[in-house]
Amino acid sequence: MVSTPNFDELKNICGSNESKDYFKFLFVQEEAENEGYIRKTIEWCNGMHEKIAKFGAMLEEGRAFSDFDVAHWDGMECLVQAQARNGVILQAFLRLLDVLRAARDEKRKHVMVMEHMCEAL
């Protein structure tokens, strides 16, 4: 039999030389890894939501300061810019979450195909 390092490694890890077994193992691992990415991205989204809320409260509170405090108003302008960038980052996280959720459906389909192959044989 020809040596294929990636497939040989996969066969050793899953403990089977049967393609239906090692592919199922691979896709189950992919599915679990994707779920971890989804959880982490949700954490990032939640953190960014909190940061945006905090900066929003600071912007609201900061409007009450003296018009003569130049450093304050420079800082407020920077806060406005940071808040805008936080919104862009949040949108990127949300888009990533959409892609990961679509990938989850695809990865589940791959596992089901391999499970069906195992049952058919």
Side-chain angles (χ1 to χ4, degrees):
M1 182 164 100
V2 130
S3 176
T4 53
N6 291 326
F7 281 98
D8 288 343
E9 181 180 317
L10 186 58
K11 291 173 188 177
N12 288 334
I13 292 170
C14 83
S16 175
N17 286 327
E18 301 275 336
S19 60
K20 63 181 173 47
D21 293 333
Y22 60 74
F23 273 116
K24 180 181 176 187
F25 177 83
L26 174 67
F27 296 133
V28 166
Q29 295 302 311
E30 283 282 301
E31 187 178 23
E33 184 178 73
N34 196 68
E35 286 301 319
Y37 292 150
I38 289 171
R39 280 190 302 277
K40 187 50 131 176
T41 304
I42 289 171
E43 287 176 23
W44 291 342
C45 288
N46 291 340
M48 193 54 68
H49 278 294
E50 291 171 11
K51 185 181 225 178
I52 288 170
K54 174 79 171 174
F55 279 20
M58 289 175 69
L59 285 167
E60 190 65 34
E61 181 182 343
R63 290 191 179 104
F65 280 63
S66 165
D67 290 337
F68 302 108
D69 186 347
V70 176
H72 173 78
W73 292 108
D74 285 347
M76 287 290 288
E77 179 58 32
C78 290
L79 190 57
V80 166
Q81 292 172 12
Q83 183 73 321
R85 183 59 59 193
N86 289 339
V88 171
I89 293 168
L90 177 60
Q91 290 305 309
F93 287 162
L94 292 171
R95 177 66 183 122
L96 175 59
L97 194 55
D98 288 344
V99 171
L100 288 168
R101 286 177 173 155
R104 173 176 53 195
D105 296 340
E106 184 178 296
K107 290 173 188 298
R108 283 185 181 159
K109 180 181 158 197
H110 294 160
V111 170
M112 290 182 350
V113 166
M114 290 297 99
E115 285 176 345
H116 179 71
M117 289 300 298
C118 290
E119 293 169 3
L121 298 175

